[in-house]
Amino acid sequence: MFFSSKKKIKKRRDNLCKEADIFIQVHFVRERNSEKYKFNTLTLKSDPERDKVNEWYNAHNNPESYSEIVSAYYKDLGKETSVLFEKGVLEKDYFTKLEKSLSYIPSKGEAVIICFAFKLSFEASRALLKSAGYALTNSEKTDLIIRFFLENNNYNVHDLNYVLIKICDIKLRDIV
């Protein structure tokens, strides 16, 4: 029975790899300044999801630092830290670190783990990553895989790691 369950998980994850690979092929931009890809420089139109994120920031007095934003999400969601440690693969002292230093800058992988732990939308994740000095681009396969998971509301960090290792040979924690 246990073996059958492992097979199902592997099959599901392999399917995620195929879907993520297709997503990469569709969205990957190799040459930023190429005439062929100039359509990618269009300005963004109004987006209800982005507007929702902006409203959240306004309602929370526009927190700017990564630490302030994570603390605000943490308070909003009212989650016990043990749940976040299990889901997001966080260290036990993570929130203590944030409380001690408002200028704390995480690795990109760590910031993505927080996005997954709080089940943030793609737009909310972009805003949080920006506060830590990061972005999800269309020219990095790892970024596109993360975006694929966020856009499909798949917040399973273990599935994400599986796909990252299979396609890019890197774990989420190792993304800097």
Side-chain angles (χ1 to χ4, degrees):
M1 188 73 157
F2 180 72
F3 184 72
S4 175
S5 177
K6 276 188 162 186
K7 276 179 119 176
K8 286 180 183 177
I9 291 171
K10 183 176 177 354
K11 186 176 180 177
R12 181 177 50 80
R13 287 179 174 168
D14 287 340
N15 192 46
L16 281 171
C17 287
K18 289 175 189 172
E19 291 174 11
D21 194 41
I22 292 168
F23 187 87
I24 290 168
Q25 291 174 31
V26 169
H27 294 90
F28 190 73
V29 177
R30 296 173 201 269
E31 305 165 34
R32 285 198 163 195
N33 298 323
S34 169
E35 186 66 25
K36 182 178 177 184
Y37 298 110
K38 72 178 181 181
F39 63 87
N40 286 313
T41 61
L42 296 174
T43 57
L44 298 173
K45 296 180 181 177
S46 180
D47 175 17
E49 186 60 39
R50 196 168 343 117
D51 295 342
K52 186 176 166 185
V53 171
N54 289 335
E55 288 172 16
W56 183 90
Y57 274 79
N58 289 334
H60 291 82
N61 298 320
N62 293 312
E64 293 181 17
S65 75
Y66 173 82
S67 296
E68 292 171 324
I69 296 167
V70 170
S71 294
Y73 275 119
Y74 180 71
K75 288 173 188 168
D76 269 9
L77 297 174
K79 300 237 180 186
E80 292 182 28
T81 53
S82 60
V83 174
L84 293 175
F85 298 138
E86 291 168 15
K87 283 190 170 194
V89 195
L90 296 173
E91 301 90 29
K92 295 269 185 209
D93 64 342
Y94 189 79
F95 291 99
T96 308
K97 262 196 259 184
L98 291 180
E99 289 171 3
K100 287 182 181 177
S101 174
L102 288 180
S103 60
Y104 176 75
I105 302 294
S107 69
K108 186 173 184 177
E110 184 180 315
V112 170
I113 287 171
I114 288 293
C115 295
F116 276 64
F118 288 132
K119 295 185 177 184
L120 299 181
S121 68
F122 174 64
E123 287 299 329
S125 296
R126 285 180 54 192
L128 179 63
L129 288 168
K130 184 178 178 182
S131 75
Y134 303 113
L136 295 175
T137 70
N138 285 352
S139 57
E140 291 289 332
K141 287 183 179 183
T142 54
D143 290 355
L144 285 166
I145 292 168
I146 292 165
R147 180 178 157 196
F148 168 76
F149 272 76
L150 290 169
E151 287 186 5
N152 287 290
N153 300 317
N154 183 342
Y155 300 104
N156 186 317
V157 175
H158 302 293
D159 286 352
L160 175 61
N161 264 326
Y162 182 88
V163 174
L164 284 169
I165 291 167
K166 278 285 207 184
I167 294 176
C168 302
D169 198 29
I170 192 168
K171 285 184 176 182
L172 183 56
R173 282 240 179 247
D174 298 332
I175 297 174
V176 289

